[in-house]
Amino acid sequence: MLFFPFYDNRPMMFVRSLLFLFFLLFFTSNASSLKQTYVIHTVKTNTKHIVSSLQTDNNIQDDNDFSLPEIHYIYENAMSGFSATLTDDQLETVKNSQGFISAYPDELLSLHTTHSYEFLGLEFGIGVWNETSLSSDVIIGLVDTGISPEHVSFRDTHMSPVPSRWRGSCDEGTNFSSSSCNKKIIGAGAYYKGYESIVGKINETTDFRSARDAQGHGTHTASTAAGDIVRKASYFGQAKGRFASGMRFSSRIAAYKACWALGCANTDVLAAIDRAILDGVDVISLSLGGSSRPFYVDPIAIAAFGAMQNNIFVSCSAGNSGPTKSTVSNGAPWLMTVAASYTDRTFPAIVQIGTGQKIVGSSLYKGKDFKNLSLVFNTTAGGGSGAEFCIRNSLKRELIEGKIVICLRGAGGRTAKGEEVKQKGGVAMLLVSRETEGEELLADPHVLPAVSIGFSDGIVLLKYLAGGAANATTASIRFRGTTYGARAPIVAAFSSRGPSVAGPEIVKPDISAPGLNILAGWSPFSSPSLLRSDPRRVQFNIISGTSMACPHISGIAALVKSVHGDWSPAMIKSALMTTARTTDNRNQPIGDMGAEPNSAATAFDFGAGNVDPTRAVDPGLVYDLSTVDYLNYLCSLNYTSERILLFSGTNYTCPATPPDLNYPSFALNLANGAKLKTVRSYKRTVTNVGSPACEYMAHVEEPKGVEVRVEPKVLKFQKVRESLSYTVTFVAEASRNSSSSFGALVWISDEHKVRSPIAVTWE
């Protein structure tokens, strides 16, 4: 799937992606259609021999250079294998080689595309933002569209020398030299061989074959995770607070550019992760992904397993395909899968229609108000095909000039609709959500005054328009700027939902973090709207997506790592999950913008809840996991020894009965319509990381239709790092009218609450 910024219509994105690839494969040269790029998994000791044999095979050495195999990368850290562009015959040669495990075609993944620190309770000099936690060296590697090294967020003022353990480098390329790095950005590289094998050579008039960011997405995510403090940052005066800052602003950054104009090739992402592991990062942040698939054919899952084995925490975005259920991607249990939520900051605009009724929308425009201007829509704006969506060349100047144009979301990019309205003479746009987008109010960087309006208010607006005489319907718009204190957090409607198709045994996503209308750094080579006709350039831009939520977690994981340097990735993940918030700033259950009004979010929307950095550094208890635990989980999925070899790197013998995965949440999948009640028991082990002598009591919030028993009900610890086990037994009804129900198990002491969500699904 390809990435179209500010795009709503996901089915249309998919169709356009297929058409693009069809054209690419069948209308280029005949020779190119005979070759394809593959990710190839091999036994580690055989990799170099297979590659060498390919390159020296006499059967393929002829006068036609195009028939020669193209070796792109050899992977040694994230996985064992290589990527190459091969003919069918060459692929067969590889498959018949000793040490071959599996191969599958390369593909393009999509990117999942301030005030956040304050909303999350981070305050300079206090708590987890104290001098001690900020002084330790933690390195965050981001695989994205690159970085803008001159950006003010990446200054290295007062930073100590680069740590001696760092093994990375600053790779030179177009408009990027070794001096582009500093003590803040300590590593950078670009990976494009896979992308170019699919799409063709990168056009360097619009992008750079280097780590320099031409799009803005990579600069945005890097500054969100680890950007330095920048006072009075804003987007044309909007969202101006005390300062903008990354979640752990003292962290070092390594930028691995593997994403380009049309997406990120799996082979390049693998190469970037492979390099990050070798370089010595502590955290890897991946704001990208594809559709959910079995882990043994999921390159991100396989590469992240290699990172986990090297004690690296990996966070990934959950995807932007919500609110449809079972759309979550990056669902492997060794990944931290991040959903997107709102903060309490809004950008309200008041639209008053001719009847006097007022509609509250969202707008980043900060200028003069509009009073009593004519409204036009569809046939009164253009009349041609697509005029209701304001697609390119659908509107007529003589109909819309000097008027406010109503456009429906979908069938094109949101900012591109505003471009069409502006080019045809419209003075403002009201962008109305359809039922699929619900009440979500995105604040996009439009090229003209524009207001985002929710579905319900959109119905009111369109009814008013339908009931009025031609040219008699009017509206006024008042722009209120930036306000704070709205009810939050709320799960964003676009955020992808569980249960996971690839691993329904695990509750996914794991957690939520701010991802809507996020202010962060931007590339000077890209306009804020990503439109070529837009001449504006900004230091900071406001965009939305689980892409923005992921680096929040990456930075907060770095905070936890700085306080607890000896914790495993699983312990950090557990700390983030079991301390997450499930209530909002009104002390009500966190809501779901993708559901009915006033509906509470569930574990399939936001996992364990919304991240709470202050509590995460002192969780009381943690659930730890090792490489062997994850391999046993793969055994429980009935993976063959060959498939397990993709992760383990060496032969692994599964136990006769694989133990339960010691995960900080519980997922039960039951057969609906069964004649008898279902009884399931799960064992968990918690490790004390709080007070040496402490006592925890079990408290259960039972899901509807399920009885929950915990044994023992009390856990008594005598020392730090002591581990104790307990068993949870679920007795579920034979069938339910609803498909899912939710609850929680909370271990409570005098100082801590350690919460694990429970999700029960009847299928």
Side-chain angles (χ1 to χ4, degrees), residues 65-109:
D65 288 342
F66 201 88
S67 71
L68 298 176
E70 300 171 64
I71 309 300
H72 300 309
Y73 306 105
I74 295 177
Y75 308 117
E76 298 181 296
N77 304 289
M79 54 166 270
S80 176
F82 63 101
S83 64
T85 301
L86 306 172
T87 64
D88 290 345
D89 290 342
Q90 290 160 5
L91 180 62
E92 284 304 310
T93 298
V94 172
K95 288 182 175 180
N96 293 326
S97 301
Q98 183 177 356
F100 169 81
I101 300 176
S102 68
Y104 42 85
D106 196 7
E107 65 174 344
L108 293 181
L109 305 175

Side-chain angles (χ1 to χ4, degrees), residues 507 510 577-578 603 607-609 664-667 743-745 755-759:
V507 177
D510 291 306
M577 290 177 63
T578 60
S665 62
F666 297 89
L745 167 60
R755 183 182 183 276
S756 293
I758 300 169

Side-chain angles (χ1 to χ4, degrees), residues 238-318:
Q238 293 278 39
K240 181 186 288 185
R242 288 185 298 164
F243 54 81
S245 170
M247 292 298 98
R248 189 177 187 273
F249 56 84
S250 62
S251 289
R252 319 277 185 171
I253 293 171
Y256 303 94
K257 184 176 179 179
C259 297
W260 308 83
L262 295 177
C264 328
N266 269 323
T267 51
D268 297 331
V269 173
L270 280 171
I273 298 174
D274 197 68
R275 171 73 178 274
I277 295 171
L278 179 65
D279 288 348
V281 304
D282 300 298
V283 175
I284 293 177
S285 188
L286 299 168
S287 290
L288 52 90
S291 57
S292 184
R293 66 198 64 195
F295 304 136
Y296 58 83
V297 288
D298 184 344
I300 289 180
I302 295 170
F305 195 95
M308 175 274 300
Q309 289 178 299
N310 284 273
N311 206 38
I312 299 170
F313 180 93
V314 183
S315 59
C316 293
S317 47

Side-chain angles (χ1 to χ4, degrees), residues 347-366:
F347 306 95
I350 311 302
V351 178
Q352 183 172 343
I353 57 179
T355 61
Q357 189 167 357
K358 294 180 180 179
I359 294 170
V360 180
S362 180
S363 178
L364 289 181
Y365 178 70
K366 193 174 184 181

Side-chain angles (χ1 to χ4, degrees), residues 1-3 10 13-14 17 104-113 143 259 262-267 269 273 286-295 297-302 315-322 326-332 335 337-338 494-497 499-503 546-547:
M1 185 165 60
L2 309 183
F3 172 59
R10 297 177 186 88
M13 289 172 61
F14 182 69
S17 302
Y104 42 85
D106 196 7
E107 65 174 344
L108 293 181
L109 305 175
S110 63
L111 293 164
H112 288 155
T113 211
V143 180
C259 297
L262 295 177
C264 328
N266 269 323
T267 51
V269 173
I273 298 174
L286 299 168
S287 290
L288 52 90
S291 57
S292 184
R293 66 198 64 195
F295 304 136
V297 288
D298 184 344
I300 289 180
I302 295 170
S315 59
C316 293
S317 47
N320 298 338
S321 298
S326 296
T327 51
V328 65
S329 62
N330 298 319
L335 293 171
T337 311
V338 189
F494 62 74
S495 188
S496 290
R497 303 309 210 262
S500 168
V501 174
T546 53
S547 274

Side-chain angles (χ1 to χ4, degrees), residues 409-470:
R409 285 177 62 178
R414 298 189 301 276
T415 57
K417 297 172 188 291
E419 179 183 41
E420 170 69 7
V421 173
K422 183 179 181 180
Q423 288 179 346
K424 297 298 170 59
V427 297
M429 175 178 69
L430 302 182
L431 186 58
V432 175
S433 295
R434 301 164 299 167
E435 187 172 9
T436 51
E437 291 99 21
E439 308 305 322
E440 197 118 270
L441 299 180
L442 298 170
D444 291 323
H446 289 285
V447 294
L448 83 171
V451 181
S452 174
I453 294 175
F455 173 65
S456 299
D457 285 333
I459 291 176
V460 173
L461 178 64
L462 294 177
K463 281 185 176 179
Y464 164 66
L465 199 68

